Structure formats: structure tokens, C-alpha cells
Amino acid sequence: MRTIDQIKESIAADFMKNETVAGLFGFPAGDNFTTHFSKVSIINILFYVFASAAWVLERLFEAHKSEVEARIEEIIPHRAKWYKSKVLEFMKDKVLIPDTDCYDTTDMKAEAIAAAHVVKYATADENKDTSIVTIKVAGEEAGHRCRLSDEVETQLEGYLAEIKDAGVRINLVNADADTFNCSVDIYYNAMLLPENVQRACEAAIRNYIENLPFNGEYTNMALIDTLQEVEGVKIAEFRQATTVAAGAATVTTIDARHVPAAGYFRAGQITLTMKAYERV
């Protein structure tokens, strides 16, 4: 949005460019306004009044635009990203203002508001074939992603039922982390102790796996790229990676890439076969 001074400068610039005006006042067309008109001149005061009126008018139009956009947003079906943002706004043990999708936090302190926002991670995706919106969520405990409690999950389901668009079906996923396992051959610099390189590799794998963006995609290539950055690693040769969703009995072999069912991983069995690197 333009300020009053910016609007006034624009008016003055157009005024100074006008050749007819320049002839009447006796200055070269396009000259500087402040060179010929002081702050207390009638022309300068009039321009300020005009600029102030224009500024108010622009603010009114902007307010009207925002109201119209908000009304349209209420009328049209919401997109998946709206559901994500609303889930992150969910507040534990709080009820919505009647006939709205908002909470009354007027009498709440910032600490209480932060404590009620228990959903720390969320993502929403719509299946185009079934028109089901799948929402994955997770909380946080001791700096790690975790499953929300059963009580919170029940409250969240009630919240979603209240705010969702009519006819929209929601699949809420609130689960423990998928377990990630992998096997890699590490060819290490023989001048270093293999156990030190191994510990560094294990830490790098855990850091990569457990800090992927929520519902982000794991790739075997990125895992190897991560290991190649570890000091002492000459070659990292990928063998296998598998994953198991929480509560599932089926072990899934990861072929190139994988998105965790829960939206996040925890590192499980990391098998590193250490081999001293020898130049051929």
C-alpha cells in the first residue's frame, strides 16, 4: 500500500511534467517540485489534501477487497492446504465460537495458547479418485515427533467434523513413526578408526531420516549423498532399505523412494559393513 507522501510525490511529479502548467508558472517541464513550491505553498497543501483523500480511498478499497475475498473463501469449497492450516490451529480442550471455525482466545495468555496447540506437524492431500482428504498429524515430545494421545485424537476428529465442508470425507492419520532399516557398505579411510567412522555414519543416517520434512519423501540416493559427506567415508555402497508402518506386519522394501505412512520415520536397525578402502 502507498503512503500519503508517495501519493503526493506522484501527483507532484505529474504536475511538474505538464507543459501547460510549466508555462503558466514559469518553470521547465519536468523540474523538481520542491525547487519552486515551498511546504507552506497553497499548491503543496492542496496536493497533500488530495493525497490524504486518495490514501483513505485506497484503504477503503483494500478493506473491501479483503472482505470480499474472505466471503468468497467461506463460500467456495476449501483446498487441501486450508485443512492443514486449520489442523495446526486446533486447540486441545477448547471449543469453537458458535457457528465459526475460530476459538476465543481473548482471556488466554500466550503460554496457554501455545500449550493448547498440540498439533505440531500436519499435512493434507486429496485423493482425486475418491475425493477423500487424508490429513496426517503428529505432536512433539522432547524435540521428537510423536503420535497424539487418543484423547486428543478424539477431540481433533470432533473439531474436523465441525469445520469441514459439507460432503468432504476425511481420513485422519495419527500414528507412531514408521520404522526405517537399512544396510550399507562403508569403505572408509584406513587412517581412521572404523568404529569412529561407523558412529558418525549412524548419526548421519538418523539425522537424515528423523529430520525429513513432515510427510517428506525419503530417497536412497539422498541417503548415500548424506553418507558421502561424513569424514572418512570414501565410498558408501547402498545395499537395502526397508520400512514398517506402525502396527503393520508387512515389511516394505524401499525401491528408490518412499513417503512414510505416518508422515515421519524413526531409525531402526542400521547395518553398516565397514571395509578399509584400498586403492586399486
Side-chain angles (χ1 to χ4, degrees), residues 184-279:
V184 184
D185 288 348
I186 302 293
Y187 291 82
Y188 67 93
N189 189 322
M191 290 187 292
L192 300 175
L193 293 174
E195 55 267 30
N196 290 344
V197 179
Q198 183 172 347
R199 279 194 295 269
C201 288
E202 289 176 353
I205 291 173
R206 291 182 186 279
N207 182 64
Y208 166 62
I209 289 301
E210 296 179 1
N211 289 287
L212 282 168
F214 189 69
N215 207 44
E217 183 181 72
Y218 156 87
T219 67
N220 294 332
M221 180 178 67
L223 177 69
I224 295 302
D225 289 343
T226 298
L227 289 170
Q228 292 287 174
E229 295 297 321
V230 176
E231 183 180 8
V233 174
K234 290 291 189 178
I235 300 172
E237 186 172 3
F238 177 82
R239 290 299 182 187
Q240 186 184 48
T242 62
T243 184
V244 183
T250 304
V251 177
T252 301
T253 299
I254 299 176
D255 183 13
R257 58 182 182 170
H258 184 78
V259 176
Y264 60 111
F265 286 113
R266 72 170 179 84
Q269 184 176 354
I270 298 175
T271 303
L272 300 179
T273 303
M274 307 302 293
K275 302 179 179 182
Y277 176 79
E278 296 180 0
R279 187 178 299 275

Side-chain angles (χ1 to χ4, degrees), residues 3-22:
T3 65
I4 293 176
D5 286 339
Q6 288 174 332
I7 297 172
K8 178 177 170 293
E9 288 174 3
S10 177
I11 295 172
D14 289 339
F15 176 81
M16 298 300 289
K17 289 177 183 177
N18 189 293
E19 294 184 357
T20 302
V21 170

